[in-house]
Amino acid sequence: MLLPVSPALGVVLAVLLVSAVAVAAWASLGRSREIAVAGVRAAVQLAAVSLLIGWVVRSTGPLLGFLALMFAVAVRTAGRRVTPNRTWWWAALPIGAGVVPVVVVLLLTGLLPARGIAIVPVTGILIGGALTATVLGGRRALDELGTRRGEVEAGMALGLLDRDARLEIARPAASDALLPGLDQTRTVGLVTLPGAFVGMLLGGASPVEAGAVQLFVLVALMVVQVVAVALVLELIARGLLHRE
């Protein structure tokens, strides 16, 4: 076992979380409360999932319900991070458009076993990647449009369509959302050994099998994130996802 579940683990986790909150407060990052809440929520949610996952993966109904819950939470989280107004629900498109086709292809080809114990973690990884890309791409694009509004209007004055003028300004900023995933993929095995690789090894798989699974996860994540960024950028360019 990588980390034994014991009182020592709880103490260390508490110390690490308090340290993160303290450093954020000391540096005036303005996220101390969010960090504390995120840590506590993670503990509660993982405890609940740990108790329920065995039941969820054995039946089709609970499995589909759990996947739908994962997707709904991701959409709301991403959407509300991008904008506080009612257009946040458009975040469902960039997240779903990347994740659903990839999962379907994996199931149809047999690369992903049609078992809940396999579907839940893989789908969760892909939804998480799409969430991150949607948030980063959407926020960067809208921030850039707000800062360079005059350039957008100048483009329109020169004859560009509204969509095209926004794309010219927002596209470079939104594409930066792909950098974390790209860097992780480029440095895998040299800088980090990601969770899927380590988990496979601890589960008894050979290094070659663990490497193949990790490569699959990274490539699938790149596809999902590229689709998410492209679609959130398009939604913003068309004015469907916006801020007041």
Side-chain angles (χ1 to χ4, degrees):
M1 185 179 294
L2 181 61
L3 288 175
V5 179
S6 65
L9 176 60
V11 172
V12 171
L13 287 174
V15 170
L16 291 175
L17 182 58
V18 170
S19 298
V21 172
V23 172
W26 173 77
S28 300
L29 299 181
R31 301 286 185 182
S32 298
R33 183 176 181 278
E34 288 186 53
I35 292 171
V37 171
V40 174
R41 280 189 58 173
V44 173
Q45 289 163 191
L46 284 174
V49 170
S50 299
L51 295 173
L52 292 174
I53 195 70
W55 170 67
V56 167
V57 299
R58 286 197 297 266
S59 304
T60 302
L63 172 62
L64 295 177
F66 189 71
L67 294 176
L69 176 63
M70 292 168 62
F71 178 74
V73 171
V75 169
R76 180 169 177 80
T77 301
R80 300 298 285 182
R81 281 291 186 188
V82 174
T83 178
N85 63 35
R86 295 180 179 179
T87 64
W88 64 264
W89 65 270
W90 278 103
L93 184 58
I95 293 176
V99 173
V100 174
V102 170
V103 173
V104 169
V105 168
L106 292 174
L107 288 171
L108 291 178
T109 57
L111 292 175
L112 180 63
R115 301 194 306 271
I117 197 64
I119 294 174
V120 168
V122 170
T123 305
I125 290 172
L126 297 179
I127 290 177
L131 183 158
T132 301
T134 300
V135 170
L136 293 178
R139 287 176 65 91
R140 290 296 306 276
L142 288 174
D143 288 346
E144 196 75 357
L145 289 175
T147 303
R148 301 170 62 184
R149 183 175 179 179
E151 295 178 52
V152 176
E153 294 175 348
M156 294 177 185
L158 292 174
L160 289 177
L161 297 175
D162 292 6
R163 169 187 175 274
D164 296 335
R166 294 190 187 103
L167 280 177
E168 287 296 320
I169 301 302
R171 184 185 287 116
S175 66
D176 284 350
L178 299 175
L179 293 179
L182 288 173
D183 288 343
Q184 182 184 24
T185 304
R186 291 174 60 185
T187 60
V188 66
L190 299 176
V191 178
T192 60
L193 293 177
F197 183 86
V198 175
M200 289 287 291
L201 289 180
L202 292 175
S206 69
V208 173
E209 291 172 328
V213 170
Q214 184 61 66
L215 179 61
F216 144 70
V217 169
L218 291 173
V219 173
L221 271 175
M222 280 200 297
V223 173
V224 167
Q225 291 177 335
V226 168
V227 171
V229 171
L231 285 181
V232 77
L233 178 61
E234 186 66 30
L235 291 171
I236 289 171
R238 292 178 180 271
L240 299 173
L241 184 61
H242 60 80
R243 293 174 184 158
E244 301 301 336

